[in-house]
């Protein structure tokens, strides 16, 4: 017998290709049965948060009627949950939503809170958006970054296609839409990255943008609003809204468009036609910097460069409901939860985060950060190492001298977005901050 036949061949070196790559388990890959088990351990408010994560999660929770059971446990202290089978799911959803909004408002007003911060960009950024627990930041850098509001981990990056500056942006589950220079760019959020860019010089110096499928609306320096169809990729309407530059925009569910100008005027137009509906009067001595519309109450809130916030009811457009001087300087940004009719969060150049009563205009809480920060942990991202820090929130009174407070505890708030019991802010610096209010 040939000895070589019985001699074992040398062991081949282990290679990465020989190892089967394990698929990463994500929240989206969990089976329906596993989701049911997990959801059964959650309370009402945790279920409400989970319902906002994705359509599939919301359907699973509604189908199981878990939120219905938890609602009755909380309201009636019934250990067995729901007893009345005739109780409608719609009625329950409305009641649960109201309960969640009440808790959210109370948390913003007086709950203890902390501010989580990290350097998310190599240069200063001044815009942020938050939806479904995710935060998108950009404007100033050549990249937009998507973050988890809870873990502060970077989930994705969207790079600009050329040297044109990013002016404004927004996002949904499937895409990111941005106003880049004089054109619209769309980034596909699916695994196969695809960037669509409209032709150059489509708009005359766009200053702001909002979109609701299938249309993006761009406010321009010439006082006109240009409506861009995201699917036909053409400009479908041009509407003259103001005599001065259009500085901010807001949508209503009825396809009405509200716009503010640098001259302090507020216009209301119908996207179904190019006819101006109404020009709202204004007592602003300066221009309108930011707009916010509440679809639940039909109220429009406008913040000015003079520090005023005003409120109009679109059903009664002949007068202002209230006007309050909330800040001694520019109001840059305002926001509220879609179904919250009680609180409005306002931020501006003085760096104070203010909670305003939507009905009366009264400032009910004022917040800044503590000077000191604590390092929580470090996270390795695709663009480098990120240090996550925590700072305590300080509530101040109306009589406190803001000008005597250190700027490090109140950097200017250039943009903010509101989530359930949290607010994310950007400051035209490298930091992203999430203010977490826990009752």
């Amino acid at each position: 017998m040939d000895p070589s036949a019985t001699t074992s061949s040398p062991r081949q070196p282990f290679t990465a290709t020989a190892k089967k790559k394990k698929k990463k388990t994500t929240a989206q890959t969990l089976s329906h049965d596993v989701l049911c088990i997990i959801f059964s351990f959650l309370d009402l408010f945790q279920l409400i948060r989970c319902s906002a994560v994705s359509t599939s999660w919301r359907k699973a929770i509604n189908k199981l009627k878990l939120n219905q059971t938890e609602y009755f446990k909380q309201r009636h202290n019934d250990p067995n949950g729901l007893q009345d089978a005739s109780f409608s799911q719609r009625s329950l959803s409305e009641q649960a939503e109201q309960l969640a909004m009440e808790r959210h408002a109370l948390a913003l007003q007086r709950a203890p809170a902390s501010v989580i911060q990290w350097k998310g960009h190599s240069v200063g950024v001044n815009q942020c958006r938050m939806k479904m627990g995710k935060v998108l930041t950009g404007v100033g850098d050549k990249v937009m970054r998507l973050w988890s509001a809870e873990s502060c981990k970077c989930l994705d990056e969207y790079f600009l296609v050329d040297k044109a500056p990013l002016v404004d942006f927004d996002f949904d589950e499937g895409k990111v839409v941005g106003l880049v220079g004089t054109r619209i760019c769309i980034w596909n959020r699916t695994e196969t990255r695809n960037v669509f860019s409209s032709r150059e010089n489509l708009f005359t110096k766009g200053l702001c943008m909002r979109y609701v499928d299938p249309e993006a609306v761009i406010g321009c320096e010439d006082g006109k609003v240009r409506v861009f169809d995201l699917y036909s990729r053409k400009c479908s309407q041009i509407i003259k809204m103001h005599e001065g530059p259009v500085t901010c925009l807001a949508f209503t569910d009825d396809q009405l468009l509200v716009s503010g100008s640098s001259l302090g005027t507020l216009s209301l137009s119908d996207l179904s036609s190019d006819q101006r509906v109404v020009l709202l009067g204004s007592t602003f001595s300066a221009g309108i910097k930011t707009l916010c519309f509440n679809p639940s109450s039909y109220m429009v809130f406008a913040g000015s460069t003079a520090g005023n916030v005003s409120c109009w009811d679109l059903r009664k457009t002949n007068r202002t409901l209230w006007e309050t001087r909330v800040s001694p300087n520019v109001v840059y940004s305002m926001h509220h939860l879609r179904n919250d009719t009680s609180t409005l969060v306002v931020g501006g150049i003085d760096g104070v985060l203010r909670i305003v009563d939507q009905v009366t205009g009264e400032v009910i809480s004022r917040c800044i950060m503590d000077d000191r920060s604590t390092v929580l942990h470090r996270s390795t991202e695709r663009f480098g190492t990120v240090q996550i820090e925590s700072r305590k929130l300080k509530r101040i009174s109306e009589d406190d001298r803001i000008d005597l407070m250190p700027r490090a505890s109140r950097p200017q708030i250039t943009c903010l977005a509101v989530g359930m019991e949290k607010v994310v802010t950007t400051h035209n610096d490298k930091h992203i901050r999430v203010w977490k209010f826990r009752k």
Side-chain angles (χ1 to χ4, degrees):
M1 181 181 290
D2 186 359
S4 63
T6 59
T7 305
S8 60
S9 59
R11 180 174 294 179
Q12 295 296 322
F14 181 83
T15 61
T17 56
K19 183 180 179 180
K20 290 185 178 179
K21 191 174 181 180
K22 291 184 178 180
K23 289 186 177 180
K24 186 181 290 186
T25 301
T26 65
Q28 286 71 29
T29 60
L30 295 176
S31 68
H32 181 79
D33 292 338
V34 173
L35 286 175
C36 292
I37 294 172
I38 295 173
F39 290 153
S40 65
F41 288 98
L42 305 183
D43 62 24
L44 176 64
F45 298 104
Q46 291 169 332
L47 287 171
I48 292 172
R49 288 195 182 98
C50 288
S51 296
V53 171
S54 68
T55 303
S56 61
W57 283 27
R58 182 167 60 252
K59 287 181 178 178
I61 292 171
N62 289 339
K63 186 176 181 180
L64 288 169
K65 296 188 177 180
L66 285 171
N67 53 355
Q68 190 168 343
T69 304
E70 289 297 327
Y71 173 77
F72 270 82
K73 283 182 181 179
Q74 180 148 347
R75 277 299 201 202
H76 304 294
N77 294 319
D78 180 5
N80 298 318
L82 181 64
Q83 299 296 327
D84 184 3
S86 64
F87 189 84
S88 70
Q89 179 68 27
R90 180 179 178 182
S91 177
L92 162 84
S93 299
E94 292 173 353
Q95 294 290 337
E97 187 175 274
Q98 180 182 352
L99 192 63
M101 291 303 103
E102 290 173 0
R103 173 167 170 155
H104 167 75
L106 287 174
L108 292 183
Q109 292 176 43
R110 54 175 181 262
S114 60
V115 182
I116 309 301
Q117 66 177 28
W118 68 97
K119 290 183 179 180
H121 293 264
S122 58
V123 298
V125 293
N126 59 24
Q127 293 289 321
C128 61
R129 304 286 183 267
M130 178 161 56
K131 293 178 181 177
M132 299 168 291
K134 297 179 178 62
V135 177
L136 187 64
T137 57
V139 180
D141 202 352
K142 300 300 291 182
V143 60
M144 291 177 285
R145 290 196 169 107
L146 187 69
W147 309 86
S148 165
E150 288 299 324
S151 67
C152 308
K153 292 284 293 182
C154 182
L155 305 176
D156 212 339
E157 295 180 313
Y158 306 94
F159 291 89
L160 303 189
V161 293
D162 53 29
K163 295 182 179 180
L166 178 65
V167 180
D168 206 347
F169 62 86
D170 207 343
F171 76 106
D172 57 31
E173 291 186 37
K175 61 184 174 298
V176 174
V177 180
L179 173 59
V180 182
T182 58
R183 57 184 172 176
I184 289 289
C185 290
I186 303 172
W187 290 261
N188 196 332
R189 288 186 58 196
T190 59
E191 292 183 4
T192 304
R193 184 54 50 83
N194 182 23
V195 181
F196 159 74
S197 177
S198 66
R199 62 181 176 84
E200 286 277 9
N201 301 317
L202 192 60
F203 317 110
T204 304
K205 194 171 183 182
L207 302 178
C208 53
M209 182 212 71
R210 291 293 180 269
Y211 86 89
V212 175
D213 272 341
E215 295 170 321
V217 182
I218 298 92
C220 300
E221 192 177 44
D222 60 2
K224 296 178 181 178
V225 165
R226 288 162 172 84
V227 183
F228 179 79
D229 191 292
L230 298 177
Y231 297 101
S232 68
R233 302 179 181 182
K234 294 180 180 178
C235 189
S236 59
Q237 293 185 55
I238 300 177
I239 308 172
K240 179 68 174 179
M241 298 286 283
H242 299 276
E243 295 302 321
V246 179
T247 52
C248 48
L249 297 164
F251 275 122
T252 75
D253 288 346
D254 301 325
Q255 290 296 297
L256 293 177
L257 175 67
V258 186
S259 64
S261 79
S262 60
L263 301 180
T265 55
L266 198 69
S267 286
L268 180 66
S269 291
D270 189 348
L271 284 186
S272 62
S273 69
D274 59 358
Q275 181 181 3
R276 181 185 299 173
V277 175
V278 66
L279 178 64
L280 299 176
S282 173
T283 59
F284 290 150
S285 59
I288 298 178
K289 194 69 177 176
T290 178
L291 280 176
C292 192
F293 171 72
N294 192 325
S296 298
S297 63
Y298 282 89
M299 289 184 179
V300 173
F301 307 96
S304 80
T305 54
N308 297 317
V309 173
S310 293
C311 174
W312 285 266
D313 187 334
L314 291 189
R315 296 165 297 188
K316 304 172 184 177
T317 57
N318 58 337
R319 63 186 178 88
T320 307
L321 294 183
W322 53 260
E323 182 173 355
T324 305
R325 184 80 183 276
V326 301
S327 171
N329 302 103
V330 182
V331 172
Y332 280 131
S333 186
M334 302 182 299
H335 198 226
H336 57 77
L337 282 181
R338 177 179 175 84
N339 296 317
D340 181 14
T341 58
S342 60
T343 56
L344 176 71
V345 184
V346 180
I349 198 171
D350 64 359
V352 179
L353 192 74
R354 292 176 172 87
I355 315 300
V356 177
D357 189 308
Q358 290 189 28
V359 178
T360 65
E362 177 190 0
V363 180
I364 51 183
S365 185
R366 300 165 179 83
C367 308
I368 62 171
M369 297 178 292
D370 190 74
D371 295 340
R372 295 165 295 179
S373 62
T374 303
V375 177
L376 298 179
H377 60 87
R378 289 176 174 83
S379 174
T380 302
E381 304 293 350
R382 63 192 76 186
F383 55 87
T385 301
V386 175
Q387 180 170 285
I388 312 298
E389 301 173 339
S390 175
R391 300 171 71 172
K392 291 183 179 180
L393 179 142
K394 294 172 61 177
R395 296 189 187 270
I396 59 176
S397 70
E398 182 181 4
D399 299 326
D400 289 334
R401 289 280 303 274
I402 298 174
D403 57 315
L404 299 180
M405 300 175 185
R407 290 296 301 181
S409 64
R410 52 179 191 91
Q412 63 173 337
I413 300 172
T414 56
C415 189
L416 63 86
V418 179
M420 183 64 74
E421 298 178 18
K422 65 172 69 71
V423 178
V424 60
T425 57
T426 51
H427 310 265
N428 203 28
D429 60 16
K430 301 177 184 179
H431 281 99
I432 302 163
R433 293 182 171 93
V434 179
W435 307 57
K436 296 186 177 183
F437 299 82
R438 292 290 184 261
K439 197 173 182 305

